[in-house]
Amino acid sequence: MEITLTHENYDGEVLKSNVPVLVDFWAPWCGPCRMVAPVIEEIAQEYGGKIKVGKVNVDEQGALASQNAIVSIPTVILFVNGKPAEKMVGAHSFDDYADMVEKYI
């Protein structure tokens, strides 16, 4: 299950999480973001219980995008113990995201 992340729940869901959190920074108008969405959903299903998966709509949550220095989308960041551990910019495959996650679970 993916969590919609907002300024209100970001600290609790991401920074204070006791499991790794994969965060997808996206926007509805972004073609590559729409291509990545089902892949991220698949990651959420595959690794449910081991990690959390969250989505940040950069149009609605500009402060979170700025806080994480997002300059292009899609950007996917894996947070471990509240800190960014790895980051991928652009559309990637399931295997690329899975490899990133596997290192931290």
Side-chain angles (χ1 to χ4, degrees):
M1 181 186 92
E2 298 171 330
I3 303 161
T4 299
L5 297 170
T6 64
H7 181 69
E8 291 75 27
N9 69 358
Y10 185 81
D11 283 4
E13 293 288 357
V14 178
L15 303 183
K16 296 178 179 160
S17 176
N18 56 0
V19 296
V21 186
L22 191 73
V23 181
D24 177 17
F25 292 86
W26 71 287
W29 49 262
C30 164
C33 297
R34 289 196 306 271
M35 287 171 38
V36 164
V39 176
I40 298 297
E41 202 171 295
E42 196 179 340
I43 290 286
Q45 290 171 352
E46 180 80 20
Y47 293 98
K50 297 178 186 166
I51 67 166
K52 285 192 215 174
V53 176
K55 295 180 79 69
V56 175
N57 181 328
V58 297
D59 289 343
E60 295 172 357
Q61 303 296 325
L64 289 179
S66 296
Q67 177 181 327
N68 288 284
I70 304 302
V71 291
S72 68
I73 53 174
T75 294
V76 174
I77 301 176
L78 183 67
F79 290 84
V80 178
N81 298 321
K83 306 224 178 319
E86 289 205 32
K87 175 168 147 177
M88 285 189 188
V89 179
H92 290 271
S93 70
F94 176 89
D95 289 343
D96 289 342
Y97 296 120
D99 288 347
M100 182 167 70
V101 167
E102 290 279 344
K103 293 181 207 168
Y104 298 96
I105 58 173

